[in-house]
C-alpha cells in the first residue's frame, strides 16, 4: 500500500508556480556525515539490541527451593543433564546408552514415588520390536529405515479418579541417544533433563487434569527418527494421543523456539496465550519445510505417520557445535532450561485441563491449508497468532489498495509519471544486481586468498564486513546509477515546464523528486513479495506486509499532499525513522539469528565431501545477506543520493572491505578454535567384493575427510609419517554418501580388525521363472548398524525378512540417483542375518549394459557398509595427531571409526 498523490507527478505542474527565492530552501537540508554516522550507530545497535532481547534475554535459573514442588527448577534439570553427559557419547547399541536409559528409568520411578497422592504415574520400560520406517518426505525420500531392539522409557501422568483421562493424552517427546561423536549436552540431554523436571512438577498438579500427559524418552532418533516411529506404531498408548510436542536441539541452549506446528492452530494459540516467555517464528518453519535446512525431527513422524498436530521446539544457539565434541555442558547458557521449562509447564497445565483436546486430532487430520497458523513473537514478550485465511484476507486487501493507488497515481501522472515509475524500478533492479554481484564476487575471492574457504566460522561477525559491506556498497552504487538516469529525465521535464526557476533550483527539484520515486519504488519489491507469498500461502509473507504498510503509512503521513501544485521537497528523516521502527523491530533479530544458523550449517555443509565447490557456501551466505540488505535498506539508501556524505560512505565501505580481506589473507582470525571445531571423519575401512568366502584378500586403509568446505592441508601436516595422500584421485563410495576429496593411508592398517568382522552378501537363489527374483543372505557379523544400496536401475522392488518374518514388504520403492538406501540400526540383541528378496526389472540384460556405460552409476547390484564403534590403532594415532580444533562428526548416514565395505556385482 503506497501513498502517491500529486507529489509524484511534478512534471505536469504549471509553469507559473511561485518560485522559492530562499537559497536554503532551494538547496534543501544537508545530510552530513555526522547524521549518517548517527543513523548507522542507531541501526547497528538497535538491531543488535532487538536480537539480544529477543534471543538472549533468558530468565534467572531457579533453585529447587525457589521453584517449590510445583514449579520448574533449572538446577534440578541440570543435574539430570550432568548425569547423562557423564556417560559420554551414547549412540544406539552402546553400553553408555544402556546406562543412560537406566538412569532415566530410575528418575522416572522416583517421580512416580513422590507424586501427589491423587495422581497416577505409570512408568513403562518399552522394548520395540523389529520394524521399518518408510517416511516419504524430506531427507527420507528413497530410503527405508529398519530398526530393532530399541528401548524407551514412557511415563504417563493421569488424575487418579478420572478414568476417561486415559483416552485423551498430550505427548511430550525427546530422545536419549546421541551420535557417536558427542556427549550431547544440547542434543538432547538438555531436552531429557527438562522433561524429567517437567514430569516432576506435573506429577504435583495432575489431580485437576481432564487429560493425561505422556512423556516419551526414546532412543534411535539419531539413526533416522526410529524411536518415535517404533513408539507411535507399536506402543499400546499410541491411540490415546491427541497432540504431540517434540523437544529438539540443533545447537546448544539459548531460547527454545517453536519452529514447526501442525495444521491445527489450537496448540500454538494456547502456547501464545499462556507461555511466560513465548518464542517462535514461522520463518523457521517455512525454511525447514522447504528443505533449505537439511534436518528432520521426531515431529515429522508424529505428523506424517500419526496425523497429529502440535508443536516442535528446538534450541538453536551455537549451531556450529551441533554433533561435534563441543556439544558440552560448559556452553549451555544459564537460563536456557528455565526458559523452556516455564513455558512448557504453563502450556501443559492449561492444555491438560482443556475440554477441547479431543477435537484437535480430528480437525488436524483434515489438514486444511486455511487452518495453518501464522505466528511470530515480538521480542520474546508476546506472540501473535492468526489463521492463514486471515493472513490471505489482509494481504488481498493491501494488494488491492496498493494496485488502486498506484494505478490512480500513474494515470494522473500521465506518460511522464509512467516513465518515472519505470526508471525508479530500474534503479531497484540495478541495486539488486550490483549488491548481489559485489557480495558474490567477494565470496569467490575468499577461497583464493584464505587457507579456509569459510574463515569466519569462529568469528561470525566478520560476515558483516566480508559480505554485508560489499552488499551495501553494491546497493548504493546500483541504485545511484538508476537514480542518475531518473534525475536526468525529471530535470528535462522540469526545465521545459518551469523555465522561470533558476538552474540550481531545477536541479534540486529533480533530485528531490527522484529521491521520492526511489523511496516509493521500495514499495514495489515488497508488493511483489507479498503477492508471491500470498499466492503460495507462505506464512512468512507477514514480513512483506509489515515492510510495505509501515513505510507507506509513514510516507503518506509525513510526505504526501493533496495539493496539485506543491513542488517536491527533500524527504524528512523522521519519515524514515517512523516507517522503519516496526519492521526492524519484527525482523532484525530474526535476520541476525538466521545468519548465525547459516554459518553454523557450513561446518557440515559438504554432505558428500569434495562434491561441492569451495565457494558455494560463501555464495549462498553472501546472496542471503545481499538480498536482506536490498530488502531492508532500500528505503534508507534512497536518502544517500542527495547527501554530501555519499562519497565518504563509499570510500569507507571500500576501505572496510579491503582491510577485512587483507586480514583474512594474513590469517589474523583463526577459522576454528578448541570450542568451535571442523567436522571431520576418520574411518578405518576394510573393503571386499562379493561373498568374502570367494573374494581375494580384503583391502584395508584409513580415510580422513571433512564435511566442512576446504582442503585438509593443515589437518594432514602432522600425518606425513602415517603415509597419507590427499586429493581427488580416489573416490570412496560409503553407500549413503560418496567421498570425492580426502586423504587415504594404506600403511599399518592390518591391526584392530578381524576377518570375522567382514560381512557377506551370499546369493541363495536366483530364479528366472516369470519375473526374475534373487534371494540374498545379508550377514553383518558383529555389526548392528549398516547401510545397503540397491541398484534401482535394475531392481524394481524388494522385501526384507528377519527370522522368517517379513519386516519390509514388497511395494513401490523410490530411488535417488539410481539407488534405494536401506539403513539399519539397533541394540545389542538386534539380528545380524537378513534375507533380501530382489525383484528385477524387465530387460535386465539391456539395463545391466546401460548401468555399466554410465560413469555415475554403481557397477554393483548391492553395496553394503557395516559400522563398528571401535577405534583401531592406526585410527587412534590419526585422531591423536589431528589439531585440537578438529572433531569427529556424527549423523545417521556417517560411518563409525571402523567400517566394512562389501559389494555384490551385477554379474554375480
Amino acid at each position: 500500500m503506497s501513498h502517491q498523490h500529486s507529489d509524484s507527478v511534478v512534471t505536469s505542474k504549471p509553469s507559473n508556480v511561485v518560485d522559492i527565492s530562499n537559497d536554503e530552501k532551494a538547496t534543501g537540508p544537508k545530510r552530513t556525515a555526522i547524521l549518517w554516522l548517527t543513523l548507522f550507530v542507531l541501526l547497528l545497535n538497535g538491531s543488535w539490541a532487538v536480537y539480544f532481547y529477543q534471543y538472549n534475554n533468558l530468565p534467572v535459573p531457579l533453585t529447587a527451593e525457589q521453584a517449590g514442588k510445583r514449579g520448574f527448577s533449572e538446577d534440578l534439570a541440570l543435574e539430570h543433564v550432568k548425569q547423562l553427559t557423564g556417560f559420554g557419547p551414547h549412540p544406539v547399541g552402546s553400553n553408555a546408552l544402556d546406562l543412560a536409559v537406566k538412569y532415566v528409568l530410575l528418575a522416572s520411578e522416583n517421580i512416580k514415588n513422590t507424586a501427589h497422592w491423587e495422581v497416577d504415574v505409570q512408568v513403562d520400560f518399552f522394548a520395540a520390536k523389529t520394524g521399518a520406517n518408510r517416511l516419504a518426505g524430506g531427507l527420507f525420500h528413497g530410503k527405508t529405515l529398519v530398526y530393532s531392539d530399541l528401548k524407551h522409557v514412557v511415563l504417563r501422568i493421569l488424575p487418579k479418579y478420572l478414568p476417561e483421562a486415559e483416552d485423551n493424552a498430550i505427548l511430550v517427546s525427546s530422545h536419549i541417544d546421541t551420535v557417536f561423536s558427542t556427549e550431547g549436552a544440547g542434543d538432547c540431554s538438555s531436552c531429557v533433563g527438562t522433561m524429567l523436571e517437567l514430569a516432576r512438577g506435573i506429577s504435583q498438579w495432575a489431580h485437576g487434569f481432564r487429560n493425561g500427559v505422556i512423556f516419551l524418552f526414546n532412543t534411535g532418533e539419531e539413526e533416522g527418527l526410529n524411536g518415535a516411529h517404533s513408539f507411535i506404531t507399536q506402543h499400546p498408548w499410541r491411540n490415546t494421543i491427541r497432540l504431540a510436542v517434540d523437544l529438539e536441539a540443533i545447537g546448544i541452549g539459548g531460547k527454545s523456539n517453536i519452529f514447526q506446528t501442525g495444521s491445527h492452530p489450537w496448540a500454538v494459540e494456547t502456547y501464545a496465550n499462556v507461555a511466560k516467555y513465548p518464542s517462535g517464528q514461522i520463518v523457521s518453519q517455512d525454511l525447514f519445510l522447504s528443505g533449505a535446512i537439511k534436518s528432520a525431527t521426531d515431529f515429522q513422524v508424529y505428523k506424517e505417520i500419526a496425523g497429529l498436530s502440535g508443536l516442535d521446539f528446538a534450541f538453536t544457539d551455537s549451531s556450529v557445535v551441533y554433533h561435534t565434541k563441543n556439544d558440552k555442558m560448559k556452553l549451555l547458557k544459564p537460563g536456557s532450561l528455565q526458559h523452556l521449562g516455564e513455558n512448557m509447564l504453563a502450556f501443559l497445565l492449561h492444555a491438560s485441563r482443556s475440554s477441547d483436546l479431543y477435537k484437535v486430532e480430528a480437525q488436524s487430520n483434515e489438514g486444511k491449508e486455511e487452518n495453518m497458523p501464522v505466528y511470530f513473537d515480538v521480542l520474546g514478550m508476546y506472540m501473535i497468532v492468526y489463521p492463514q485465511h486471515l493472513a490471505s484476507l489482509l494481504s488481498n486487501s493491501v494488494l488491492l489498495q496498493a494496485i488502486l493507488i498506484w494505478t490512480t497515481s500513474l494515470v494522473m501522472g500521465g506518460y511522464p509519471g509512467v516513465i518515472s515509475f519505470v526508471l525508479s524500478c530500474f534503479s531497484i533492479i540495478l541495486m539488486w544486481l550490483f549488491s548481489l554481484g559485489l557480495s558474490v564476487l567477494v565470496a569467490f575471492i575468499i577461497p583464493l586468498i584464505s587457507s579456509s574457504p569459510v574463515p569466519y566460522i569462529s568469528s561470525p561477525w566478520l560476515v558483516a564486513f566480508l559480505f554485508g559491506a560489499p552488499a551495501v556498497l553494491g546497493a548504493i552504487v546500483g541504485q545511484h546509477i538508476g537514480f542518475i538516469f531518473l534525475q536526468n529525465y525529471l530535470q528535462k521535464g522540469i526545465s521545459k515546464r518551469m523555465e522561470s526557476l533558476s538552474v540550481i533550483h531545477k536541479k534540486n527539484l529533480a533530485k528531490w523528486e527522484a529521491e521520492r520515486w526511489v523511496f516509493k519504488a521500495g514499495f514495489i519489491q515488497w508488493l511483489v513479495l507479498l503477492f508471491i507469498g500470498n499466492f503460495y500461502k507462505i506464512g512468512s509473507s507477514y514480513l512483506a506486509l509489515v515492510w510495505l504498510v509501515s513505510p507507506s503509512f509513514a510516507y503518506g503521513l509525513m510526505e504526501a499532499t493533496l495539493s496539485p501544485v506543491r513542488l517536491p521537497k527533500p524527504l524528512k528523516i523522521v519519515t524514515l525513522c517512523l516507517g522503519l521502527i516496526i519492521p526492524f523491530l519484527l525482523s532484525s533479530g530474526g535476520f541476525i539469528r538466521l545468519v548465525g544458523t547459516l554459518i553454523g550449517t557450513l561446518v557440515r555443509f559438504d554432505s558428500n565431501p569434495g562434491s561441492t565447490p569451495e565457494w558455494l557456501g560463501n555464495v549462498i551466505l553472501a546472496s542471503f545477506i545481499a538480498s536482506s540488505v536490498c530488502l531492508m535498506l532500500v528505503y534508507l539508501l534512497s536518502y544517500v543520493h542527495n547527501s554530501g556524505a555519499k562519497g565518504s560512505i563509499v570510500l569507507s565501505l571500500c576501505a572496510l572491505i579491503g582491510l577485512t580481506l587483507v586480514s583474512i589473507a594474513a590469517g589474523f582470525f583463526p577459522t576454528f578454535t578448541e570450542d568451535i571445531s571442523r567436522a571431520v571423519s576418520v574411518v578405518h575401512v576394510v573393503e571386499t567384493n562379493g561373498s568374502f568366502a570367494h573374494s581375494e584378500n580384503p583391502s584395508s586403509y584409513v580415510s580422513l575427510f571433512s564435511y566442512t568446505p576446504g582442503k585438509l592441508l593443515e589437518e594432514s601436516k602432522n600425518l606425513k609419517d602415517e603415509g597419507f595422500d590427499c586429493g581427488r584421485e580416489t573416490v570412496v563410495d560409503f553407500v549413503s554418501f560418496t567421498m570425492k576429496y580426502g586423504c587415504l593411508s594404506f600403511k599399518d592398517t592390518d591391526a584392530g580388525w578381524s576377518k570375522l568382522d567382514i560381512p557377506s552378501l551370499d546369493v541363495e537363489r536366483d530364479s528366472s521363472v516369470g519375473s526374475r527374483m534373487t534371494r540374498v543372505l545379508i550377514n553383518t557379523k558383529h555389526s548392528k548398524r549398516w547401510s545397503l544400496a540397491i541398484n534401482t536401475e535394475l531392481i524394481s522392488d524388494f522385501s526384507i525378512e528377519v527370522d522368517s518374518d517379513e519386516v519390509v514388504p514388497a511395494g513401490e520403492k523410490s530411488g535417488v540417483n539410481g539407488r534405494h538406501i536401506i539403513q539399519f540400526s539397533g541394540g545389542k540383541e538386534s539380528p545380524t542375518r537378513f534375507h533380501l528378496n530382489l525383484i528385477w526389472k524387465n530387460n535386465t540384460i539391456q539395463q545391466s549394459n546401460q548401468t555399466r556405460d554410465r560413469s555415475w552409476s554403481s557397477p554393483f547390484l548391492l553395496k553394503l557398509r557395516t559400522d563398528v564403534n571401535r577405534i583401531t590403532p592406526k585410527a587412534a594415532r590419526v585422531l591423536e595427531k589431528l589439531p585440537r580444533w578438529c572433531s569427529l562428526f556424527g549423523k545417521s548416514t556417517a560411518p563409525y571409526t571402523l567400517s566394512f565395505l562389501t559389494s555384490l556385482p551385477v554379474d554375480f
Side-chain angles (χ1 to χ4, degrees), residues 139-160:
L139 302 177
F140 302 99
H141 180 64
K143 289 184 178 181
T144 298
L145 307 176
V146 184
Y147 53 82
S148 182
D149 191 36
L150 298 180
K151 294 179 174 64
H152 318 314
V153 178
V154 191
L155 186 152
R156 182 164 70 170
I157 302 177
L158 301 165
K160 188 172 289 185

Side-chain angles (χ1 to χ4, degrees), residues 328-651:
K328 49 195 176 184
M329 278 198 69
K330 80 171 190 177
L331 297 181
L332 190 58
K333 293 180 180 177
S336 300
L337 305 192
Q338 193 70 41
H339 175 266
L340 174 60
E342 290 194 37
N343 283 342
M344 282 300 302
L345 183 61
F347 172 79
L348 291 174
L349 291 178
H350 185 91
S352 299
R353 295 183 176 121
S354 174
S355 59
D356 297 326
L357 184 63
Y358 76 95
K359 303 176 184 177
V360 175
E361 183 193 22
Q363 295 182 27
S364 296
N365 289 331
E366 297 175 10
K368 292 183 177 179
E369 191 176 56
E370 57 266 26
N371 288 334
M372 289 290 289
V374 176
Y375 59 92
F376 55 92
D377 72 88
V378 181
L379 298 180
M381 298 170 61
Y382 309 99
M383 179 168 278
I384 297 174
V385 183
Y386 53 94
Q388 181 61 56
H389 65 81
L390 178 58
S392 298
L393 184 65
L394 290 172
S395 297
N396 288 333
S397 174
V398 170
L399 286 168
L400 181 60
Q401 291 182 59
I403 292 171
L404 287 174
I405 292 173
W406 272 104
T407 302
T408 302
S409 177
L410 293 177
V411 169
M412 290 175 60
Y415 178 78
V418 172
I419 298 299
S420 299
F421 172 77
V422 171
L423 289 174
S424 63
C425 291
F426 179 63
S427 73
I428 298 299
I429 294 172
L430 290 178
M431 174 189 71
W432 277 85
L433 291 175
F434 277 72
S435 183
L436 284 168
L438 195 54
S439 55
V440 167
L441 176 63
V442 173
F444 280 107
I445 291 174
I446 290 174
L448 302 177
I449 64 173
S450 172
S451 59
S452 170
V454 285
Y456 43 80
I457 292 294
S458 66
S459 305
W461 53 269
L462 279 173
V463 300
F465 307 119
L466 286 173
F467 303 130
V472 174
L473 177 61
I476 291 174
V477 172
Q479 197 182 91
H480 190 67
I481 292 173
F483 177 87
I484 291 173
F485 280 105
L486 177 59
Q487 177 190 336
N488 291 338
Y489 173 77
L490 291 172
Q491 189 169 342
K492 290 178 182 178
I494 291 172
S495 297
K496 290 180 180 178
R497 291 171 174 80
M498 302 181 182
E499 297 178 356
S500 61
L501 298 179
S502 64
V503 174
I504 189 168
H505 194 185
K506 293 176 184 178
K507 185 176 181 180
N508 286 328
L509 288 176
K511 285 183 179 181
W512 300 336
E513 185 67 7
E515 180 180 73
R516 288 169 173 266
W517 271 110
V518 173
F519 183 92
K520 291 180 291 185
F523 302 152
I524 300 300
Q525 63 176 6
W526 285 110
L527 194 64
V528 171
L529 288 179
L530 181 61
F531 174 81
I532 294 172
N534 186 50
F535 182 81
Y536 289 104
K537 299 294 187 291
I538 300 173
S540 303
S541 58
Y542 81 89
L543 288 172
L545 192 70
V546 170
W547 278 91
L548 175 61
V549 172
S550 182
S552 296
F553 176 79
Y555 184 87
L557 181 67
M558 304 301 300
E559 304 290 348
T561 177
L562 295 176
S563 170
V565 295
R566 199 205 76 168
L567 292 176
K569 296 179 181 179
L571 291 172
K572 303 178 182 70
I573 294 295
V574 68
T575 303
L576 182 69
C577 297
L578 185 63
L580 296 188
I581 288 176
I582 294 177
F584 267 93
L585 192 67
L586 294 180
S587 53
S588 58
F591 163 72
I592 295 173
R593 170 49 59 98
L594 281 175
V595 170
T597 301
L598 278 173
I599 293 172
T601 61
L602 292 180
V603 170
R604 49 194 181 274
F605 181 72
D606 203 352
S607 56
N608 290 284
S611 64
T612 56
E614 291 186 346
W615 45 261
L616 183 59
N618 287 336
V619 169
I620 293 173
L621 182 58
S623 298
F624 174 75
I625 292 175
S627 299
S628 300
V629 163
C630 291
L631 289 170
M632 298 172 66
L633 298 186
V634 62
Y635 303 115
L636 173 66
L637 296 181
S638 65
Y639 281 69
V640 172
H641 311 298
N642 289 335
S643 169
K646 61 178 175 287
S648 301
I649 295 173
V650 170
L651 288 176

Side-chain angles (χ1 to χ4, degrees), residues 802-840:
V802 178
D803 297 329
S804 300
D805 294 328
E806 191 175 57
V807 177
V808 179
E812 186 177 349
K813 307 292 195 305
S814 60
V816 176
N817 296 326
R819 294 183 175 192
H820 185 94
I821 304 295
I822 302 171
Q823 290 180 209
F824 177 88
S825 66
K828 295 177 181 177
E829 303 303 318
S830 298
T832 58
R833 294 169 65 88
F834 305 81
H835 278 100
L836 177 67
N837 301 306
L838 301 173
I839 303 173
W840 292 67

Side-chain angles (χ1 to χ4, degrees), residues 278-305:
S279 183
Q281 295 288 337
I282 197 172
V283 176
S284 302
Q285 175 173 300
D286 289 339
L287 287 173
F288 193 82
L289 296 180
S290 71
I293 298 176
K294 303 293 184 182
S295 188
T297 72
D298 285 339
F299 195 68
Q300 180 176 346
V301 174
Y302 304 135
K303 283 202 307 181
E304 189 173 321
I305 303 299

Side-chain angles (χ1 to χ4, degrees), residues 75-389:
D75 283 7
L76 292 179
L78 282 175
E79 280 299 315
H80 297 305
V81 179
K82 183 179 179 181
Q83 291 293 327
L84 291 169
T85 55
F87 298 124
H90 36 281
V92 170
S94 65
N95 292 329
L97 182 59
D98 291 341
L99 294 174
V101 171
K102 183 179 180 181
Y103 173 82
V104 173
L105 181 62
L106 291 174
S108 299
E109 292 287 355
N110 185 56
I111 291 170
K112 177 180 179 178
N113 296 332
T114 58
H116 190 279
W117 68 274
E118 292 183 289
V119 174
D120 183 19
V121 177
Q122 303 167 4
V123 178
D124 182 32
F125 182 63
F126 178 62
K129 298 181 295 184
T130 302
N133 178 0
R134 294 180 60 192
L135 294 170
L139 302 177
F140 302 99
H141 180 64
K143 289 184 178 181
T144 298
L145 307 176
V146 184
Y147 53 82
S148 182
D149 191 36
L150 298 180
K151 294 179 174 64
H152 318 314
V153 178
V154 191
L155 186 152
R156 182 164 70 170
I157 302 177
L158 301 165
K160 188 172 289 185
Y161 303 112
L162 190 66
E164 54 266 33
E166 289 187 7
D167 299 329
N168 299 288
I170 303 163
L171 175 68
V172 184
S173 172
S174 192
H175 62 95
I176 305 173
D177 62 307
T178 70
V179 294
F180 79 98
S181 55
T182 179
E183 63 189 34
D187 186 19
C188 211
S189 295
S190 59
C191 311
V192 173
T194 299
M195 284 173 56
L196 286 170
E197 174 60 5
L198 276 172
R200 182 199 63 79
I202 291 292
S203 70
Q204 306 299 323
W205 285 94
H207 53 284
F209 286 1
R210 293 187 179 190
N211 311 297
V213 180
I214 297 174
F215 290 91
L216 169 62
F217 305 90
N218 71 64
T219 64
E221 191 274 348
E222 295 293 6
E223 297 297 339
L225 317 183
N226 293 329
H229 186 275
S230 62
F231 171 81
I232 211 67
T233 57
Q234 298 182 23
H235 198 277
W237 296 344
R238 66 187 185 277
N239 293 323
T240 67
I241 297 170
R242 306 290 174 251
L243 188 76
V245 177
D246 182 52
L247 306 184
E248 256 298 350
I250 57 172
I252 180 167
K255 290 188 176 182
S256 185
N257 312 288
I258 297 176
F259 73 102
Q260 278 194 95
T261 67
S263 59
H264 198 283
W266 185 85
V268 69
E269 288 174 351
T270 301
Y271 172 83
N273 288 331
V274 303
K276 192 173 181 180
Y277 318 103
S279 183
Q281 295 288 337
I282 197 172
V283 176
S284 302
Q285 175 173 300
D286 289 339
L287 287 173
F288 193 82
L289 296 180
S290 71
I293 298 176
K294 303 293 184 182
S295 188
T297 72
D298 285 339
F299 195 68
Q300 180 176 346
V301 174
Y302 304 135
K303 283 202 307 181
E304 189 173 321
I305 303 299
L308 295 171
S309 189
L311 302 172
D312 200 2
F313 291 86
F315 290 113
T316 57
D317 261 22
S318 303
S319 60
V320 71
V321 308
Y322 177 69
H323 282 192
T324 68
K325 66 180 182 181
N326 295 312
D327 184 3
K328 49 195 176 184
M329 278 198 69
K330 80 171 190 177
L331 297 181
L332 190 58
K333 293 180 180 177
S336 300
L337 305 192
Q338 193 70 41
H339 175 266
L340 174 60
E342 290 194 37
N343 283 342
M344 282 300 302
L345 183 61
F347 172 79
L348 291 174
L349 291 178
H350 185 91
S352 299
R353 295 183 176 121
S354 174
S355 59
D356 297 326
L357 184 63
Y358 76 95
K359 303 176 184 177
V360 175
E361 183 193 22
Q363 295 182 27
S364 296
N365 289 331
E366 297 175 10
K368 292 183 177 179
E369 191 176 56
E370 57 266 26
N371 288 334
M372 289 290 289
V374 176
Y375 59 92
F376 55 92
D377 72 88
V378 181
L379 298 180
M381 298 170 61
Y382 309 99
M383 179 168 278
I384 297 174
V385 183
Y386 53 94
Q388 181 61 56
H389 65 81

